[in-house]
Amino acid sequence: MCDEFCGPALAAWLARGAGDPQRRLEEWARARNRVTLLPAGHGWDAVRIPERPGHEVLVRLRDGTAPVGPVMWDRRCGFLYFLVPPHAEDVWSPLGLRFLSLGGWLAAADPRRSAGHPAVWLCARGAAELTGPACLHIACLEVLTAGARPLPHVPTRL
C-alpha cells in the first residue's frame, strides 16, 4: 500500500512538521510501541473517519485525479486519519467526524517500522502533498450520506 513516499521519507516529513524533528525521530526509535505524539495544526491537520467509511472515502479519492496525502490507519481503534493542510476549516463536525488541529495530537505510528504494528500508513503517491479538504469533504459526503459500497479487499498484513 505504501509507495516511495513512505518509510523514512514520510517519517522525516512528519517530524519536520512537529518541531524539533530529531527529537521526534529519536522518540519513535526509543518507543517500545513505535508511537509518538505529533502536534496537529502546524504542518497538517487531520480528519478522523471510522474505518469502514474511511476505506470507501480513500478508494473514491484514489479513483479521482486530486492528490491523496498520507493516511494513518489505526487498525486497533478502527479509524483512518487523513492529513489535510493546516488551518483547514472544521466542516467535519456536522458529519460526525473528529477534526484535529491546533491543540490536538495524533498518536502516530513510526512509518519506518510499520510491519506488524496495529497502525500503518497508507501513503501518498510519491510526494509530500496533503489531501485537499474540499475533495475529502465531497468524498465523505458521498459515502456518509449515500451509504458505502462493500468494503474493498484491504490486506491485513502489510
Short mmCIF file of all heavy atoms in Angstrom, two decimals, residues 42-105:
data_model
loop_
_atom_site.label_atom_id
_atom_site.label_comp_id
_atom_site.label_asym_id
_atom_site.label_seq_id
_atom_site.Cartn_x
_atom_site.Cartn_y
_atom_site.Cartn_z
N HIS A 42 0.15 22.38 12.66
CA HIS A 42 1.38 23.05 12.23
C HIS A 42 1.67 22.69 10.78
O HIS A 42 1.47 23.48 9.90
CB HIS A 42 2.54 22.71 13.16
CG HIS A 42 2.29 23.13 14.57
ND1 HIS A 42 2.40 24.44 14.98
CD2 HIS A 42 1.89 22.43 15.65
CE1 HIS A 42 2.09 24.52 16.27
NE2 HIS A 42 1.77 23.32 16.70
N GLY A 43 2.11 21.47 10.53
CA GLY A 43 2.36 21.03 9.16
C GLY A 43 1.13 20.44 8.50
O GLY A 43 1.09 20.29 7.29
N TRP A 44 0.15 20.09 9.31
CA TRP A 44 -1.05 19.43 8.81
C TRP A 44 -2.13 19.45 9.89
O TRP A 44 -1.84 19.66 11.06
CB TRP A 44 -0.76 17.98 8.41
CG TRP A 44 0.08 17.28 9.44
CD1 TRP A 44 1.44 17.14 9.44
CD2 TRP A 44 -0.37 16.66 10.67
NE1 TRP A 44 1.85 16.48 10.58
CE2 TRP A 44 0.77 16.19 11.35
CE3 TRP A 44 -1.61 16.48 11.25
CZ2 TRP A 44 0.70 15.53 12.57
CZ3 TRP A 44 -1.68 15.84 12.48
CH2 TRP A 44 -0.54 15.36 13.12
N ASP A 45 -3.36 19.24 9.48
CA ASP A 45 -4.47 18.93 10.36
C ASP A 45 -4.86 17.50 10.00
O ASP A 45 -4.38 16.95 9.01
CB ASP A 45 -5.68 19.85 10.10
CG ASP A 45 -5.47 21.27 10.64
OD1 ASP A 45 -4.57 21.48 11.48
OD2 ASP A 45 -6.21 22.16 10.20
N ALA A 46 -5.71 16.88 10.78
CA ALA A 46 -6.14 15.51 10.49
C ALA A 46 -7.64 15.38 10.66
O ALA A 46 -8.23 15.99 11.55
CB ALA A 46 -5.42 14.52 11.40
N VAL A 47 -8.23 14.58 9.79
CA VAL A 47 -9.65 14.26 9.87
C VAL A 47 -9.74 12.78 10.19
O VAL A 47 -9.21 11.94 9.46
CB VAL A 47 -10.38 14.57 8.54
CG1 VAL A 47 -11.84 14.20 8.64
CG2 VAL A 47 -10.21 16.04 8.18
N ARG A 48 -10.42 12.45 11.30
CA ARG A 48 -10.56 11.06 11.74
C ARG A 48 -11.89 10.53 11.23
O ARG A 48 -12.95 11.08 11.52
CB ARG A 48 -10.50 10.97 13.26
CG ARG A 48 -10.54 9.53 13.76
CD ARG A 48 -10.53 9.48 15.25
NE ARG A 48 -11.89 9.74 15.74
CZ ARG A 48 -12.23 9.68 17.02
NH1 ARG A 48 -11.33 9.41 17.93
NH2 ARG A 48 -13.47 9.90 17.38
N ILE A 49 -11.82 9.41 10.49
CA ILE A 49 -13.01 8.79 9.90
C ILE A 49 -13.05 7.33 10.34
O ILE A 49 -12.03 6.64 10.27
CB ILE A 49 -12.96 8.89 8.36
CG1 ILE A 49 -12.82 10.35 7.93
CG2 ILE A 49 -14.20 8.26 7.73
CD1 ILE A 49 -12.63 10.54 6.43
N PRO A 50 -14.20 6.85 10.76
CA PRO A 50 -14.30 5.43 11.12
C PRO A 50 -13.83 4.54 9.96
O PRO A 50 -13.97 4.89 8.78
CB PRO A 50 -15.78 5.22 11.42
CG PRO A 50 -16.27 6.57 11.82
CD PRO A 50 -15.47 7.54 10.97
N GLU A 51 -13.29 3.40 10.33
CA GLU A 51 -12.62 2.50 9.39
C GLU A 51 -13.43 2.17 8.13
O GLU A 51 -12.94 2.34 7.01
CB GLU A 51 -12.28 1.23 10.16
CG GLU A 51 -11.39 0.27 9.45
CD GLU A 51 -10.97 -0.83 10.41
OE1 GLU A 51 -11.85 -1.49 11.00
OE2 GLU A 51 -9.76 -1.02 10.55
N ARG A 52 -14.63 1.68 8.28
CA ARG A 52 -15.39 1.22 7.11
C ARG A 52 -15.66 2.35 6.11
O ARG A 52 -15.29 2.24 4.95
CB ARG A 52 -16.67 0.53 7.55
CG ARG A 52 -17.38 -0.17 6.42
CD ARG A 52 -18.42 -1.14 6.98
NE ARG A 52 -18.89 -2.06 5.99
CZ ARG A 52 -18.24 -3.11 5.54
NH1 ARG A 52 -17.05 -3.39 5.97
NH2 ARG A 52 -18.78 -3.91 4.64
N PRO A 53 -16.28 3.47 6.53
CA PRO A 53 -16.46 4.54 5.55
C PRO A 53 -15.12 5.18 5.16
O PRO A 53 -14.97 5.66 4.03
CB PRO A 53 -17.37 5.55 6.26
CG PRO A 53 -17.30 5.22 7.70
CD PRO A 53 -16.95 3.76 7.80
N GLY A 54 -14.14 5.15 6.05
CA GLY A 54 -12.83 5.72 5.73
C GLY A 54 -12.16 5.02 4.55
O GLY A 54 -11.57 5.67 3.69
N HIS A 55 -12.27 3.70 4.49
CA HIS A 55 -11.70 2.97 3.35
C HIS A 55 -12.44 3.32 2.07
O HIS A 55 -11.83 3.45 1.01
CB HIS A 55 -11.72 1.46 3.60
CG HIS A 55 -10.64 1.01 4.52
ND1 HIS A 55 -9.30 1.06 4.19
CD2 HIS A 55 -10.69 0.50 5.77
CE1 HIS A 55 -8.59 0.61 5.19
NE2 HIS A 55 -9.40 0.26 6.17
N GLU A 56 -13.75 3.46 2.16
CA GLU A 56 -14.53 3.84 0.98
C GLU A 56 -14.15 5.25 0.51
O GLU A 56 -14.00 5.49 -0.68
CB GLU A 56 -16.02 3.77 1.28
CG GLU A 56 -16.91 4.17 0.14
CD GLU A 56 -16.80 3.27 -1.09
OE1 GLU A 56 -16.38 2.11 -0.96
OE2 GLU A 56 -17.14 3.76 -2.19
N VAL A 57 -13.97 6.15 1.45
CA VAL A 57 -13.52 7.51 1.10
C VAL A 57 -12.16 7.44 0.41
O VAL A 57 -11.94 8.08 -0.62
CB VAL A 57 -13.47 8.41 2.36
CG1 VAL A 57 -12.70 9.69 2.09
CG2 VAL A 57 -14.89 8.72 2.85
N LEU A 58 -11.24 6.65 0.95
CA LEU A 58 -9.91 6.52 0.36
C LEU A 58 -9.99 5.97 -1.06
O LEU A 58 -9.31 6.47 -1.97
CB LEU A 58 -9.04 5.63 1.24
CG LEU A 58 -7.59 5.46 0.81
CD1 LEU A 58 -6.87 6.80 0.74
CD2 LEU A 58 -6.85 4.52 1.77
N VAL A 59 -10.84 4.97 -1.29
CA VAL A 59 -11.00 4.42 -2.64
C VAL A 59 -11.51 5.50 -3.58
O VAL A 59 -11.00 5.66 -4.69
CB VAL A 59 -11.95 3.19 -2.62
CG1 VAL A 59 -12.39 2.81 -4.01
CG2 VAL A 59 -11.28 2.02 -1.92
N ARG A 60 -12.51 6.25 -3.17
CA ARG A 60 -13.06 7.33 -4.02
C ARG A 60 -11.99 8.37 -4.34
O ARG A 60 -11.90 8.84 -5.47
CB ARG A 60 -14.26 7.98 -3.36
CG ARG A 60 -15.49 7.10 -3.38
CD ARG A 60 -16.64 7.74 -2.61
NE ARG A 60 -17.73 6.81 -2.47
CZ ARG A 60 -18.88 6.91 -3.11
NH1 ARG A 60 -19.09 7.92 -3.92
NH2 ARG A 60 -19.82 6.01 -2.93
N LEU A 61 -11.22 8.74 -3.34
CA LEU A 61 -10.17 9.74 -3.58
C LEU A 61 -9.11 9.21 -4.54
O LEU A 61 -8.67 9.92 -5.44
CB LEU A 61 -9.52 10.16 -2.26
CG LEU A 61 -10.37 11.01 -1.33
CD1 LEU A 61 -9.69 11.16 0.02
CD2 LEU A 61 -10.66 12.38 -1.94
N ARG A 62 -8.70 7.99 -4.34
CA ARG A 62 -7.65 7.41 -5.21
C ARG A 62 -8.16 7.19 -6.64
O ARG A 62 -7.37 7.17 -7.57
CB ARG A 62 -7.12 6.11 -4.62
CG ARG A 62 -6.22 6.39 -3.44
CD ARG A 62 -5.53 5.15 -2.97
NE ARG A 62 -4.48 5.49 -2.00
CZ ARG A 62 -3.86 4.62 -1.26
NH1 ARG A 62 -4.17 3.34 -1.35
NH2 ARG A 62 -2.93 5.01 -0.42
N ASP A 63 -9.47 7.01 -6.79
CA ASP A 63 -10.04 6.88 -8.13
C ASP A 63 -10.10 8.21 -8.86
O ASP A 63 -10.26 8.26 -10.07
CB ASP A 63 -11.46 6.29 -8.07
CG ASP A 63 -11.45 4.80 -7.77
OD1 ASP A 63 -10.37 4.17 -7.85
OD2 ASP A 63 -12.53 4.25 -7.45
N GLY A 64 -9.98 9.31 -8.13
CA GLY A 64 -10.03 10.66 -8.71
C GLY A 64 -8.67 11.13 -9.16
O GLY A 64 -7.69 10.38 -9.18
N THR A 65 -8.60 12.39 -9.50
CA THR A 65 -7.35 12.96 -10.02
C THR A 65 -6.62 13.83 -9.00
O THR A 65 -5.47 14.16 -9.20
CB THR A 65 -7.64 13.83 -11.27
OG1 THR A 65 -8.57 14.85 -10.90
CG2 THR A 65 -8.20 12.98 -12.40
N ALA A 66 -7.28 14.21 -7.92
CA ALA A 66 -6.64 15.07 -6.92
C ALA A 66 -5.63 14.27 -6.09
O ALA A 66 -5.80 13.07 -5.90
CB ALA A 66 -7.70 15.69 -6.01
N PRO A 67 -4.60 14.94 -5.59
CA PRO A 67 -3.61 14.25 -4.75
C PRO A 67 -4.24 13.70 -3.47
O PRO A 67 -5.14 14.31 -2.90
CB PRO A 67 -2.59 15.33 -4.39
CG PRO A 67 -2.89 16.50 -5.25
CD PRO A 67 -4.28 16.36 -5.76
N VAL A 68 -3.76 12.55 -3.07
CA VAL A 68 -4.17 11.95 -1.80
C VAL A 68 -2.93 11.89 -0.94
O VAL A 68 -1.95 11.26 -1.31
CB VAL A 68 -4.76 10.53 -1.99
CG1 VAL A 68 -5.16 9.94 -0.66
CG2 VAL A 68 -5.92 10.56 -2.96
N GLY A 69 -2.98 12.57 0.19
CA GLY A 69 -1.82 12.61 1.08
C GLY A 69 -1.77 11.40 1.99
O GLY A 69 -2.56 10.47 1.88
N PRO A 70 -0.83 11.43 2.92
CA PRO A 70 -0.70 10.32 3.85
C PRO A 70 -1.96 10.11 4.70
O PRO A 70 -2.63 11.06 5.09
CB PRO A 70 0.46 10.75 4.76
CG PRO A 70 1.20 11.77 3.97
CD PRO A 70 0.19 12.45 3.13
N VAL A 71 -2.26 8.85 4.94
CA VAL A 71 -3.41 8.45 5.76
C VAL A 71 -2.90 7.41 6.74
O VAL A 71 -2.27 6.43 6.34
CB VAL A 71 -4.53 7.83 4.89
CG1 VAL A 71 -5.69 7.37 5.76
CG2 VAL A 71 -4.99 8.80 3.81
N MET A 72 -3.16 7.62 8.02
CA MET A 72 -2.78 6.61 9.01
C MET A 72 -4.01 5.79 9.35
O MET A 72 -5.06 6.32 9.69
CB MET A 72 -2.22 7.24 10.29
CG MET A 72 -1.59 6.18 11.20
SD MET A 72 -0.96 6.84 12.76
CE MET A 72 -2.47 6.95 13.70
N TRP A 73 -3.86 4.47 9.24
CA TRP A 73 -4.93 3.53 9.56
C TRP A 73 -4.63 2.90 10.91
O TRP A 73 -3.68 2.12 11.04
CB TRP A 73 -5.02 2.48 8.47
CG TRP A 73 -6.02 1.39 8.69
CD1 TRP A 73 -7.06 1.37 9.56
CD2 TRP A 73 -6.07 0.14 7.99
NE1 TRP A 73 -7.77 0.19 9.45
CE2 TRP A 73 -7.17 -0.58 8.49
CE3 TRP A 73 -5.29 -0.43 7.00
CZ2 TRP A 73 -7.51 -1.85 8.03
CZ3 TRP A 73 -5.63 -1.69 6.54
CH2 TRP A 73 -6.73 -2.38 7.05
N ASP A 74 -5.40 3.26 11.90
CA ASP A 74 -5.25 2.69 13.24
C ASP A 74 -6.19 1.49 13.31
O ASP A 74 -7.38 1.63 13.58
CB ASP A 74 -5.59 3.73 14.30
CG ASP A 74 -5.35 3.23 15.72
OD1 ASP A 74 -5.33 1.99 15.92
OD2 ASP A 74 -5.20 4.07 16.62
N ARG A 75 -5.67 0.32 13.05
CA ARG A 75 -6.49 -0.89 12.98
C ARG A 75 -7.01 -1.31 14.35
O ARG A 75 -8.07 -1.91 14.44
CB ARG A 75 -5.69 -2.03 12.34
CG ARG A 75 -5.30 -1.69 10.90
CD ARG A 75 -4.54 -2.79 10.25
NE ARG A 75 -3.20 -2.90 10.83
CZ ARG A 75 -2.24 -3.63 10.31
NH1 ARG A 75 -2.45 -4.34 9.23
NH2 ARG A 75 -1.06 -3.67 10.87
N ARG A 76 -6.28 -0.98 15.41
CA ARG A 76 -6.73 -1.35 16.74
C ARG A 76 -7.96 -0.55 17.14
O ARG A 76 -8.91 -1.09 17.70
CB ARG A 76 -5.61 -1.14 17.76
CG ARG A 76 -6.04 -1.52 19.18
CD ARG A 76 -4.92 -1.40 20.17
NE ARG A 76 -3.90 -2.40 19.88
CZ ARG A 76 -2.61 -2.25 20.14
NH1 ARG A 76 -2.18 -1.14 20.69
NH2 ARG A 76 -1.76 -3.21 19.87
N CYS A 77 -7.95 0.75 16.87
CA CYS A 77 -9.07 1.61 17.27
C CYS A 77 -10.13 1.74 16.18
O CYS A 77 -11.23 2.22 16.45
CB CYS A 77 -8.55 2.99 17.66
SG CYS A 77 -7.51 2.94 19.13
N GLY A 78 -9.80 1.35 14.95
CA GLY A 78 -10.79 1.36 13.87
C GLY A 78 -11.03 2.71 13.24
O GLY A 78 -12.17 3.04 12.90
N PHE A 79 -9.95 3.49 13.03
CA PHE A 79 -10.07 4.80 12.40
C PHE A 79 -8.99 5.01 11.36
O PHE A 79 -7.90 4.47 11.48
CB PHE A 79 -9.95 5.93 13.44
CG PHE A 79 -11.11 6.01 14.38
CD1 PHE A 79 -11.01 5.51 15.67
CD2 PHE A 79 -12.31 6.59 13.99
CE1 PHE A 79 -12.07 5.57 16.55
CE2 PHE A 79 -13.38 6.65 14.86
CZ PHE A 79 -13.27 6.15 16.14
N LEU A 80 -9.33 5.83 10.35
CA LEU A 80 -8.34 6.34 9.42
C LEU A 80 -8.19 7.83 9.68
O LEU A 80 -9.19 8.52 9.93
CB LEU A 80 -8.78 6.13 7.96
CG LEU A 80 -8.44 4.77 7.34
CD1 LEU A 80 -9.29 3.69 7.93
CD2 LEU A 80 -8.60 4.82 5.84
N TYR A 81 -6.95 8.32 9.64
CA TYR A 81 -6.65 9.74 9.84
C TYR A 81 -6.10 10.29 8.53
O TYR A 81 -5.01 9.92 8.11
CB TYR A 81 -5.62 9.92 10.95
CG TYR A 81 -6.14 9.55 12.32
CD1 TYR A 81 -6.13 8.23 12.75
CD2 TYR A 81 -6.67 10.53 13.16
CE1 TYR A 81 -6.62 7.89 14.01
CE2 TYR A 81 -7.16 10.19 14.42
CZ TYR A 81 -7.13 8.87 14.83
OH TYR A 81 -7.63 8.53 16.07
N PHE A 82 -6.85 11.16 7.88
CA PHE A 82 -6.45 11.79 6.63
C PHE A 82 -5.76 13.11 6.96
O PHE A 82 -6.35 13.96 7.64
CB PHE A 82 -7.67 12.07 5.75
CG PHE A 82 -8.30 10.84 5.16
CD1 PHE A 82 -9.09 10.01 5.94
CD2 PHE A 82 -8.09 10.51 3.83
CE1 PHE A 82 -9.68 8.87 5.39
CE2 PHE A 82 -8.67 9.37 3.28
CZ PHE A 82 -9.47 8.55 4.07
N LEU A 83 -4.54 13.30 6.47
CA LEU A 83 -3.83 14.54 6.71
C LEU A 83 -4.21 15.56 5.64
O LEU A 83 -4.15 15.29 4.45
CB LEU A 83 -2.32 14.32 6.72
CG LEU A 83 -1.79 13.32 7.76
CD1 LEU A 83 -0.27 13.35 7.82
CD2 LEU A 83 -2.38 13.56 9.14
N VAL A 84 -4.62 16.75 6.11
CA VAL A 84 -5.03 17.85 5.24
C VAL A 84 -4.19 19.07 5.59
O VAL A 84 -3.54 19.10 6.64
CB VAL A 84 -6.55 18.15 5.39
CG1 VAL A 84 -7.39 16.95 4.97
CG2 VAL A 84 -6.89 18.56 6.82
N PRO A 85 -4.18 20.11 4.74
CA PRO A 85 -3.39 21.30 5.06
C PRO A 85 -3.79 21.91 6.40
O PRO A 85 -4.95 21.84 6.80
CB PRO A 85 -3.71 22.26 3.92
CG PRO A 85 -4.12 21.38 2.78
CD PRO A 85 -4.83 20.22 3.43
N PRO A 86 -2.82 22.51 7.09
CA PRO A 86 -3.13 23.10 8.39
C PRO A 86 -4.11 24.26 8.27
O PRO A 86 -4.18 24.92 7.23
CB PRO A 86 -1.77 23.60 8.90
CG PRO A 86 -0.91 23.71 7.69
CD PRO A 86 -1.43 22.72 6.70
N HIS A 87 -4.84 24.45 9.33
CA HIS A 87 -5.82 25.54 9.44
C HIS A 87 -6.99 25.35 8.49
O HIS A 87 -7.63 26.32 8.09
CB HIS A 87 -5.16 26.90 9.26
CG HIS A 87 -3.89 27.04 10.02
ND1 HIS A 87 -3.84 26.99 11.40
CD2 HIS A 87 -2.61 27.19 9.61
CE1 HIS A 87 -2.58 27.11 11.79
NE2 HIS A 87 -1.81 27.22 10.73
N ALA A 88 -7.25 24.12 8.11
CA ALA A 88 -8.43 23.83 7.30
C ALA A 88 -9.66 24.12 8.16
O ALA A 88 -9.62 24.03 9.38
CB ALA A 88 -8.42 22.37 6.85
N GLU A 89 -10.71 24.45 7.52
CA GLU A 89 -11.95 24.76 8.24
C GLU A 89 -12.56 23.49 8.80
O GLU A 89 -12.51 22.43 8.17
CB GLU A 89 -12.92 25.41 7.26
CG GLU A 89 -14.10 26.06 7.90
CD GLU A 89 -14.94 26.79 6.87
OE1 GLU A 89 -14.42 27.18 5.81
OE2 GLU A 89 -16.13 26.96 7.14
N ASP A 90 -13.13 23.57 9.99
CA ASP A 90 -13.77 22.41 10.59
C ASP A 90 -15.19 22.26 10.04
O ASP A 90 -16.15 22.73 10.64
CB ASP A 90 -13.79 22.49 12.10
CG ASP A 90 -14.41 21.25 12.74
OD1 ASP A 90 -14.72 20.28 12.01
OD2 ASP A 90 -14.59 21.24 13.96
N VAL A 91 -15.29 21.61 8.89
CA VAL A 91 -16.61 21.29 8.31
C VAL A 91 -16.95 19.83 8.61
O VAL A 91 -17.92 19.30 8.09
CB VAL A 91 -16.62 21.54 6.78
CG1 VAL A 91 -16.43 23.02 6.48
CG2 VAL A 91 -15.53 20.71 6.09
N TRP A 92 -16.14 19.21 9.45
CA TRP A 92 -16.23 17.77 9.69
C TRP A 92 -17.18 17.43 10.83
O TRP A 92 -17.80 16.37 10.81
CB TRP A 92 -14.83 17.22 9.97
CG TRP A 92 -13.85 17.76 8.99
CD1 TRP A 92 -12.96 18.79 9.17
CD2 TRP A 92 -13.71 17.39 7.62
NE1 TRP A 92 -12.28 19.04 8.01
CE2 TRP A 92 -12.72 18.19 7.04
CE3 TRP A 92 -14.34 16.43 6.83
CZ2 TRP A 92 -12.33 18.08 5.72
CZ3 TRP A 92 -13.95 16.31 5.50
CH2 TRP A 92 -12.96 17.12 4.96
N SER A 93 -17.27 18.28 11.82
CA SER A 93 -18.12 18.00 12.98
C SER A 93 -19.57 17.72 12.61
O SER A 93 -20.17 16.78 13.15
CB SER A 93 -18.05 19.15 13.98
OG SER A 93 -16.73 19.27 14.46
N PRO A 94 -20.19 18.49 11.67
CA PRO A 94 -21.57 18.18 11.30
C PRO A 94 -21.73 16.77 10.69
O PRO A 94 -22.82 16.21 10.69
CB PRO A 94 -21.94 19.26 10.28
CG PRO A 94 -21.01 20.39 10.58
CD PRO A 94 -19.74 19.74 11.05
N LEU A 95 -20.63 16.22 10.18
CA LEU A 95 -20.66 14.87 9.61
C LEU A 95 -20.40 13.81 10.68
O LEU A 95 -20.37 12.62 10.39
CB LEU A 95 -19.63 14.73 8.49
CG LEU A 95 -19.83 15.61 7.26
CD1 LEU A 95 -18.66 15.45 6.29
CD2 LEU A 95 -21.14 15.29 6.58
N GLY A 96 -20.16 14.26 11.90
CA GLY A 96 -19.86 13.33 12.98
C GLY A 96 -18.42 12.86 12.99
O GLY A 96 -18.09 11.84 13.59
N LEU A 97 -17.54 13.61 12.32
CA LEU A 97 -16.13 13.24 12.23
C LEU A 97 -15.31 14.12 13.16
O LEU A 97 -15.65 15.28 13.40
CB LEU A 97 -15.64 13.38 10.79
CG LEU A 97 -16.42 12.58 9.75
CD1 LEU A 97 -15.91 12.88 8.35
CD2 LEU A 97 -16.35 11.09 10.04
N ARG A 98 -14.22 13.59 13.65
CA ARG A 98 -13.33 14.34 14.54
C ARG A 98 -12.29 15.06 13.70
O ARG A 98 -11.72 14.49 12.77
CB ARG A 98 -12.66 13.36 15.51
CG ARG A 98 -11.65 13.98 16.41
CD ARG A 98 -12.25 14.30 17.77
NE ARG A 98 -11.36 15.11 18.56
CZ ARG A 98 -10.46 14.63 19.40
NH1 ARG A 98 -10.36 13.33 19.59
NH2 ARG A 98 -9.67 15.44 20.07
N PHE A 99 -12.03 16.31 14.05
CA PHE A 99 -11.06 17.15 13.35
C PHE A 99 -9.95 17.51 14.32
O PHE A 99 -10.22 18.04 15.40
CB PHE A 99 -11.77 18.40 12.83
CG PHE A 99 -10.89 19.37 12.10
CD1 PHE A 99 -10.24 19.01 10.94
CD2 PHE A 99 -10.73 20.66 12.58
CE1 PHE A 99 -9.45 19.91 10.25
CE2 PHE A 99 -9.93 21.57 11.90
CZ PHE A 99 -9.30 21.20 10.73
N LEU A 100 -8.71 17.20 13.98
CA LEU A 100 -7.56 17.53 14.83
C LEU A 100 -6.83 18.71 14.22
O LEU A 100 -6.39 18.65 13.07
CB LEU A 100 -6.60 16.34 14.92
CG LEU A 100 -7.16 15.04 15.47
CD1 LEU A 100 -6.12 13.93 15.36
CD2 LEU A 100 -7.61 15.21 16.90
N SER A 101 -6.70 19.78 14.98
CA SER A 101 -5.98 20.97 14.53
C SER A 101 -5.17 21.49 15.71
O SER A 101 -4.83 20.71 16.62
CB SER A 101 -6.96 22.01 14.00
OG SER A 101 -6.25 23.05 13.34
N LEU A 102 -4.88 22.79 15.74
CA LEU A 102 -4.08 23.36 16.82
C LEU A 102 -4.61 22.91 18.17
O LEU A 102 -5.81 22.97 18.43
CB LEU A 102 -4.10 24.88 16.75
CG LEU A 102 -3.21 25.50 15.68
CD1 LEU A 102 -3.43 27.00 15.59
CD2 LEU A 102 -1.75 25.19 15.95
N GLY A 103 -3.72 22.42 19.00
CA GLY A 103 -4.10 21.91 20.31
C GLY A 103 -4.40 20.42 20.31
O GLY A 103 -4.55 19.81 21.36
N GLY A 104 -4.52 19.82 19.12
CA GLY A 104 -4.78 18.38 19.01
C GLY A 104 -3.49 17.61 18.76
O GLY A 104 -2.50 18.17 18.29
N TRP A 105 -3.52 16.34 19.07
CA TRP A 105 -2.35 15.48 18.91
C TRP A 105 -2.74 14.19 18.22
O TRP A 105 -3.82 13.66 18.45
CB TRP A 105 -1.75 15.15 20.28
CG TRP A 105 -1.22 16.36 20.99
CD1 TRP A 105 -1.94 17.25 21.72
CD2 TRP A 105 0.13 16.80 21.00
NE1 TRP A 105 -1.11 18.23 22.20
CE2 TRP A 105 0.16 17.98 21.78
CE3 TRP A 105 1.30 16.32 20.44
CZ2 TRP A 105 1.34 18.68 22.00
CZ3 TRP A 105 2.48 17.02 20.68
CH2 TRP A 105 2.48 18.20 21.45
#
